[in-house]
Each structure stands twice: as C-alpha cells, then as structure tokens.
C-alpha cells in the first residue's frame, strides 16, 4: 500500500514540473545546487493515506524544503561575513554544549545513587527547613457533603465530629450516600484545593472558617457540608515535612547529580593530564 501510494505521488510530482533538465538520478526537486531525493520522502506518507492526501503531504514537504533552501542561500549571500562568523561560532558552541550535556547526563544517570531513604530526607529537612516556607496557607481537614434529609443525618453528624478511625465499617456503609467526602485529615492541602472541593468556603470567608480545631456545619443548595479543620499552617511558616517530602527527594537527587558532574569534569581533566592528552604550553 505504501509503495503504490508513493509511486502515485512520485508520478504526480513529476507532472507538476518539479523535474528540471539537470535532474540527478532519484532526485525529485532541485534548488540551485541542492537536490531533494526520493529517499528523503520515502517514509513521509503514513500507511493508509489516500492518494489525494499523499499528494498534498509530499507537495507541502517539497515546497517547505525549497523555501528553506532559498532562504538559507539568500542569507548566505546577503549576510555580512562578520554576522555569519558570529552565527557559526554560536552553532559550533551549541554543538559542543549539546554533545557534552548529553554525554555527562548519560554518565551521571548510570552512576548516581537514586536511593533516598527516610533518614536522608529528614536530615536534609532539619538542616534546611528555614528555606522551605509555604507560599500560601496549608490545611488539614476532613469533610462530608450529604443531604440534610438523610434519615441517618444526626448519627452521621455525631460520628463525624466525634471521629474515630476504627469506625471503618460505619463509613464504608454510608459512603455511597455522600455526594462527596474526604476523611483522611492527615494530608496537607493548599487553599486552592479547599476552594475546589468545598464551594461553601471562599477567599472572603476563609478567615472565619479556616482555624485549627474549627467544626463547621453549613448548608448550600440543599446540601449540608460537615467540615472539621484539624490543623492550619499560615503563609511564610515552615512547610511541614510530609508536605515537602517529594520536593526534598528531588532536591537531594539534583544535589547528588551536580556533585557527580563536578567530579566527572575534574576526573576527566586529571586523566587527560596524566595521559598527556592535555597540556598547557608556556
């Protein structure tokens, strides 16, 4: 299918007068001394593409190729030697940076210790906790959104505010009756998540409701929200360890990588000096 489609496209390209008297074998287009070959578009057309779409794909590719060749030829003719030298130096440096970065990253990836244990995390946190201030308020809470008409409303309400984690069977029994809920109040969340899950709380009433130990029962459009705020951390206070833990791991790994890169660069230079591959002439 691909071979037949390609052959049809090839014939159409020929009929569009892309071939010139100076055509080289297997070439399908020419700009100045640059040629585009059949092999350059061999994998261009996906399998199953219609003849019409194949023709459009190839035609567009050839037009873009020609435009780029014409533009680069014009640039090389019209840019000053100083400007071309400047860009060539940038291209050369970019190649150096790209190659060395890829090589070092590969070497480091195969060497770096990626195991970060709890002791490492807590040690780094305790030594640097003043650098981990929260940007906004963090909250630990639990909530239930249910209908006020629920026949077991009072029982659910009392169980919720006198919460006991041992009551798993009770909560699993009634969870399907809740419109939404979150009973794990050991996780720190930011205020954007609170606003998203609890539309009854917003920036205007936040200070009234978001207080450690606060019990809230508030209605909204036939729903009743039962909310218990267990803890609050204000902006610019130190982030709790549990909240910052994933970030700590990334920081420690990046620190190890940077240390390995410095060591790698130093070792490769020292080895070159030792092997007399690197010399500075006085």
């Amino acid at each position: 299918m691909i071979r037949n489609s390609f052959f049809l496209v090839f014939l159409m390209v020929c009929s569009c007068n892309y071939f010139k008297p100076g055509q080289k074998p297997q070439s399908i287009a020419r700009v100045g001394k640059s040629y585009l070959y059949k092999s350059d578009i061999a994998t261009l057309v996906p399998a199953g593409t219609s003849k019409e779409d194949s023709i459009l794909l190839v035609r567009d590719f050839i037009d873009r190729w020609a435009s780029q060749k014409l533009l680069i030829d014009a640039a090389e003719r019209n840019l000053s030697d100083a400007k071309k030298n400047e860009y060539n130096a940038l291209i050369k440096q970019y190649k150096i940076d790209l190659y060395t970065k890829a090589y070092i990253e590969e070497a480091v990836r195969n060497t770096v210790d990626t195991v970060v244990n709890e002791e490492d995390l807590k040690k780094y946190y305790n030594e640097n906790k003043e650098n981990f201030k929260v940007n906004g308020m963090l909250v630990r809470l639990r909530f239930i959104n249910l209908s006020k008409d629920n026949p077991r409303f009072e029982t659910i309400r009392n169980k919720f505010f006198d919460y006991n984690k041992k009551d798993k069977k009770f909560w699993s029994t009634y969870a399907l009756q809740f419109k939404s809920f979150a009973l794990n109040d050991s996780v720190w969340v930011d205020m954007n998540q609170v606003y998203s899950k609890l539309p009854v709380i917003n920036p205007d009433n936040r200070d009234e409701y978001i207080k450690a130990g606060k019990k809230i029962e508030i209605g909204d459009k036939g729903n009743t929200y039962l909310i218990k705020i267990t803890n609050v951390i204000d902006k610019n206070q130190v982030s709790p360890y549990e909240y910052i833990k994933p970030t700590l791991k990334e920081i420690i790994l990046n620190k190890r990588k940077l240390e390995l890169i410095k060591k790698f660069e130093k070792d490769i230079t020292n080895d070159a000096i030792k092997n007399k591959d690197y010399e500075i002439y006085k």
Side-chain angles (χ1 to χ4, degrees), residues 67-279:
S67 295
Q68 290 176 344
K69 289 296 181 184
L70 291 166
L71 284 170
I72 191 66
D73 288 347
E76 288 179 344
R77 288 194 307 270
N78 293 288
L79 287 175
S80 67
D81 288 341
K83 184 60 71 174
K84 285 190 284 187
N85 288 337
E86 177 187 345
Y87 288 144
N88 285 332
L90 289 173
I91 292 168
K92 183 178 180 181
Q93 186 59 50
Y94 178 70
K95 179 180 178 180
I96 292 171
D97 293 342
L98 196 64
Y99 275 48
T100 55
K101 183 174 182 290
Y103 175 59
I104 290 173
E105 285 183 350
E106 187 66 25
V108 168
R109 186 183 300 113
N110 295 329
T111 308
V112 67
D113 179 9
T114 57
V115 176
V116 183
N117 57 42
E118 196 74 13
E119 185 180 349
D120 294 330
L121 292 168
K122 287 184 176 179
K123 182 175 183 295
Y124 191 86
Y125 174 75
N126 290 328
E127 291 175 351
N128 300 276
K129 62 172 60 178
E130 289 302 316
N131 296 327
F132 302 120
K133 301 290 183 68
V134 296
N135 295 321
M137 185 179 287
L138 297 180
V139 185
R140 282 170 50 188
L141 56 77
R142 61 178 183 270
F143 76 89
I144 293 174
N145 174 14
L146 74 165
S147 171
K148 178 71 174 179
D149 297 330
N150 189 298
R152 299 297 304 274
F153 181 85
E154 287 301 323
T155 301
I156 293 170
R157 180 185 182 280
N158 293 335
K159 283 276 189 183
F160 176 80
F161 286 123
D162 189 21
Y163 188 74
N164 190 326
K165 292 182 178 180
K166 294 180 180 180
D167 294 332
K168 290 182 179 179
K169 186 175 180 180
F170 175 86
W171 294 115
S172 62
T173 300
Y174 289 96
L176 293 176
Q177 299 179 22
F178 306 149
K179 297 181 180 180
S180 61
F181 68 96
L183 298 174
N184 183 5
D185 56 5
S186 64
V187 178
W188 290 97
V189 297
D190 61 39
M191 287 307 301
N192 287 328
Q193 291 175 281
V194 175
Y195 298 147
S196 173
K197 296 294 184 181
L198 300 172
V200 290
I201 297 178
N202 55 62
D204 294 330
N205 63 22
R206 182 190 70 182
D207 293 341
E208 175 185 354
Y209 292 124
I210 306 300
K211 299 175 181 178
K214 181 82 172 181
K215 296 180 180 179
I216 304 164
E217 181 178 339
I218 186 170
D220 178 55
K221 297 178 182 179
N223 302 323
T224 296
Y225 285 88
L226 304 176
I227 307 166
K228 173 64 185 296
I229 310 296
T230 57
N231 210 342
V232 178
I233 291 180
D234 290 320
K235 182 179 179 180
N236 294 326
Q237 290 186 342
V238 174
S239 295
Y241 172 75
E242 296 84 358
Y243 184 76
I244 204 72
K245 185 176 178 179
T247 303
L248 292 174
K249 182 176 181 179
E250 290 302 313
I251 291 172
I252 291 172
L253 286 176
N254 285 333
K255 188 170 179 288
R256 288 178 183 175
K257 288 177 183 177
L258 288 174
E259 289 171 352
L260 268 177
I261 288 171
K262 289 180 181 178
K263 183 178 184 301
F264 185 78
E265 291 174 342
K266 184 177 179 181
D267 288 348
I268 201 170
T269 303
N270 289 339
D271 288 344
I273 293 172
K274 182 179 178 180
N275 297 327
K276 300 190 183 301
D277 290 327
Y278 170 37
E279 298 177 279

